[in-house]
Structure formats: C-alpha cells, structure tokens
Amino acid sequence: MENGAKTNKTVLSFVQSSGTPTLGNYFGAFKNWHDMALENDCIFGVADLHAITVRNTPADLRRRSLEMYAWLLALGLEPEKNIIFLQSHVQEHALLAWILNCYTQFGEASRMTQFKEKSQKHADNVNVGLFTYPILMAADILLYNADMVPVGDDQKQHLEIARDIAERFNGIYGDVFKLPAPYIGKKGAKILSLQEPEKKMSKSDLNVKSFISLTDNTDVVVKKIKSAVTDSEARVYYGEGKNGINNLMNIYSCCTGKDFAEIEAEFAGKGYGDFKAAVAEAVVAELEPLRNEYEHILSDKAYIEKCAKEGAEKAQYIARKTVRKVMKKVGFYQV
Ligand code: TYM
C-alpha cells in the first residue's frame, strides 16, 4: 500500500472506560489500531455504556471516559481522519442493542465465557447488563458496517456471537448487516497477568502488581516486572510450564520486535534478573513517549471535548442510517 493510500475497508474497535489502559490493551489492541488507521477508515470508541456493567461512582466514570479518549488521541489516532467518540453520545447503540436482544438466544448468550468469569468476579452484582454485554458490543460493530475488528484474544467469542446475530438477522430480513471479521494480531493478543500468568492482564484486577498501566512511571514498571512471577529454573526460554517467563518473553518481543529464538540467544547463560531488567527497560522505552503525549493531551480538556463532540456527530450520522434501515425491516411504523 502506498503511503497515505486507504483501503475501502472499515475498521472498528472500542475500549471500555473501566480503568487506566494496560500493556495488554496496548499490545492486544491499541498498537494494531494505530497501524490499521494508516491504511483504513477507522472508527474507535470509548465503551462507556459497557463500563456501567460494574459499579462506578459517577465522577470516576466521567473522568475515566475522558481519560480513555485522551489515550486514543495520544496513540496518534487522528480525529480528523477517523471517527473517535464516546459510545453513550450516540444513543443508537442502546436502541440497536435492544433490537438485537430480540434476535439473540438466551442459550447462546449463556455460553459467553467472559460472562461466566465476570459474574464470578462480581458475584454481588450479576446484573442483566453483564449478560447482554456482547449484544451491545454486536450493536457497536453492526451499526457501522465494520469489515474488520482488531481485538485481543479475549474478545474473539464476542465477535463470533456478533457475526451469528448478524447472520440470523440477515437470514430473516435480507442483507442488512455486513459480517465483521476479527483481526487478532499474532503477537500481543494475550498479555498475561504478572502475578497469575494463567489469567489475562486486566485493568480491573484488584492486584495492582498484576498489570502495567500505561501511566506507570519507570520506577513502578521496574518494580512490577521485578516482582513478576516466574519459575525456579532460571533459564530464559519459551516452554511448557513457564507461563511467567513466556509472558515476559512475549512482552519483550512486542517491544523489541525480536522473535523468541533471538531472545533465547540474547539471554543464554544469563539469569532472570538480567532478563527482567531488559524487559523493564524495553517497556519503559515503549511507554514513556506515549505517557508524555497523553499528559500533554489531557491538559487540554477543551480540545478533547471538541474532538469527542465532532466524533459523535460523524458516528451518529452513520448509526442513524443503519437504525432507520433496521427499524423499517423489522416493521416499526414509520411516519
Ligand atoms: P476491553 O476494554 O477489555 O479491552 C480493550 C481491548 O484490549 C484488548 N485486551 C487485551 N489484549 C491482549 N492482552 C490482554 N491482557 C488484554 N486485555 C484487553 C481487548 O481484547 C480489547 O480488544 N468488550 C470490549 C470493548 C468493546 C468492543 C466493542 C470491542 C465494546 N464494544 C466493539 C470491539 C468492538 C472490552 O471490554 O474491551
């Protein structure tokens, strides 16, 4: 693809405003968003409606949504060229989600592993929104006729249900929705917790040592990586039973572009202390410029709000058209 030339594909993805983004969000999603935005028309959203499936204080939700929007700008996603907005600013999301609820089977929604995990984690608040969450996500995608949806591994099942719902709807009413394809990067699609490297790294984990936030400064990154759980073998290679080291190798590979064989060669004869120091240095080098840019953008709230408002207007124009078409197909009375 020539520099600046665009495909005619629509790329779309969202991130929940449920906390400060982590290294997992960055490598699993953001980096791909940035690269794909160079060649495609893109729509990126802050999923603040999804964020209320767990309890927030109103002030926290507002702050996190603004901050998440600032992160998207800090990544270099250009608001003039892409559509970047807050989900709650375009009410068609909730409307289409309701309609799609009626085209989703209880059984298929019950199979979502993330619902099962989250309902265990938030056992005191297993609300219906947590259950219908993937249907709202399907609405996010189908409103904009997205071709490709770059996500981390954990969202794959949600993309499958979005396709199933779209196929079912099209089967009844004709070709209304485009079927979206997931885009899951080869590297970085599953960054694991530093403390429990069987689980994904998550911004809502209660143990702050388990994740690296994009706001963590050098000292914090060094400490968190130093205390990452490994094994007693003290030999750096990618292998079975070495989840902690595999995860750090994956992170190092994402930062440096080196493959596992190169990393093994680089650390042959060296211990985990040296390896962890190198991983920390690579992470800091990757995140520091981004964090500086984020802080710079966050200091200009008026600019963020202007971008968000314009983004929502552009998004709503498309979303309205889709909803109008869907409502007509379903048989809502039009005047
Ligand atoms: P969220 O906010 O949990 O995560 C945003 C993106 O980051 C990816 N990700 C990871 N990738 C690799 N390793 C990890 N440890 C890791 N943690 C998170 C996620 O896969 C995701 O791509 N439901 C979505 C938000 C959403 C959405 C959508 C996504 C709402 N509507 C429409 C795509 C299309 C979510 O909670 O992502």
Side-chain angles (χ1 to χ4, degrees):
M1 177 93 27
E2 276 174 45
N3 232 357
K6 294 240 175 182
T7 67
N8 55 2
K9 300 270 184 238
T10 300
V11 169
L12 170 146
S13 206
F14 285 53
V15 55
Q16 272 195 82
S17 48
S18 53
T20 306
T22 68
L23 204 59
N25 298 124
Y26 180 69
F27 284 126
F30 292 171
K31 257 202 136 173
N32 293 330
W33 297 6
H34 174 268
D35 295 348
M36 291 170 102
L38 302 174
E39 295 182 350
N40 302 280
D41 290 324
C42 292
I43 301 175
F44 298 114
V46 174
D48 51 353
L49 294 175
H50 280 102
I52 66 163
T53 52
V54 298
R55 209 60 87 221
N56 299 272
T57 66
D60 275 351
L61 179 64
R62 263 191 298 274
R63 177 181 51 78
R64 285 183 185 145
S65 301
L66 183 90
E67 286 175 357
M68 192 56 88
Y69 195 98
W71 278 114
L72 301 189
L73 297 180
L75 288 170
L77 304 173
E78 297 167 275
E80 306 79 23
K81 296 192 183 156
N82 303 295
I83 299 178
I84 311 178
F85 71 109
L86 300 182
Q87 187 188 30
S88 65
H89 289 182
V90 179
Q91 296 182 356
E92 282 72 12
H93 289 252
L95 178 52
L96 184 62
W98 169 254
I99 295 174
L100 297 181
N101 271 325
C102 303
Y103 296 83
T104 308
Q105 295 306 301
F106 187 85
E108 65 184 334
S110 313
R111 283 196 290 277
M112 296 296 109
T113 49
Q114 204 166 82
F115 169 69
K116 291 180 198 160
E117 282 164 19
K118 285 200 177 169
S119 41
Q120 271 172 7
K121 197 164 152 196
H122 303 283
D124 57 334
N125 183 22
V126 186
N127 59 77
V128 178
L130 205 55
F131 184 68
T132 57
Y133 175 114
I135 305 161
L136 177 58
M137 189 166 151
D140 298 339
I141 299 168
L142 301 178
L143 272 176
Y144 301 96
N145 291 310
D147 294 284
M148 252 185 307
V149 185
V151 284
D153 208 47
D154 62 316
Q155 297 299 322
K156 203 169 150 197
Q157 201 185 26
H158 291 161
L159 272 244
E160 282 161 10
I161 198 174
R163 274 180 77 94
D164 291 345
I165 297 168
E167 263 187 315
R168 181 171 306 126
F169 196 93
N170 287 352
I172 305 170
Y173 301 108
D175 257 355
V176 178
F177 296 125
K178 213 177 232 184
L179 298 189
Y183 175 89
I184 297 177
K186 284 197 187 74
K187 277 198 233 167
K190 199 170 185 186
I191 302 292
L192 301 170
S193 155
L194 298 178
Q195 292 300 315
E196 293 169 88
E198 311 72 47
K199 283 189 355 191
K200 76 162 185 175
M201 182 180 283
S202 165
K203 53 179 149 13
S204 52
D205 202 313
L206 295 176
N207 182 355
V208 292
K209 280 162 75 183
S210 72
F211 57 80
I212 292 177
S213 281
L214 299 191
T215 45
D216 286 345
N217 64 29
T218 304
D219 279 357
V220 176
V221 171
V222 169
K223 273 194 197 124
K224 285 185 179 175
I225 292 183
K226 218 173 177 180
S227 69
V229 167
T230 52
D231 53 72
S232 53
E233 201 180 5
R235 202 157 66 80
V236 178
Y237 68 94
Y238 197 94
E240 205 148 309
K242 292 179 74 74
N243 289 353
I245 287 295
N246 294 348
N247 189 37
L248 291 178
M249 285 180 73
N250 191 17
I251 292 172
Y252 192 60
S253 169
C254 287
C255 294
T256 60
K258 294 176 185 168
D259 63 27
F260 292 154
E262 287 174 287
I263 299 171
E264 285 168 17
E266 184 178 347
F267 294 96
K270 294 187 184 157
Y272 288 168
D274 288 338
F275 176 53
K276 284 178 165 180
V279 176
E281 196 182 318
V283 169
V284 168
E286 183 83 29
L287 297 190
E288 206 162 35
L290 183 66
R291 201 177 72 232
N292 291 339
E293 182 62 13
Y294 165 74
E295 272 157 19
H296 171 69
I297 287 171
L298 196 64
S299 65
D300 192 349
K301 194 172 158 198
Y303 173 67
I304 302 172
E305 287 181 352
K306 174 179 164 288
C307 294
K309 192 158 179 275
E310 289 172 2
E313 280 162 10
K314 290 192 273 180
Q316 190 159 47
Y317 178 77
I318 305 172
R320 273 209 182 128
K321 278 214 279 201
T322 308
V323 162
R324 223 178 282 137
K325 185 172 174 189
V326 167
M327 292 184 80
K328 202 167 165 195
K329 291 278 184 188
V330 172
F332 288 102
Y333 197 89
Q334 320 254 310
V335 285

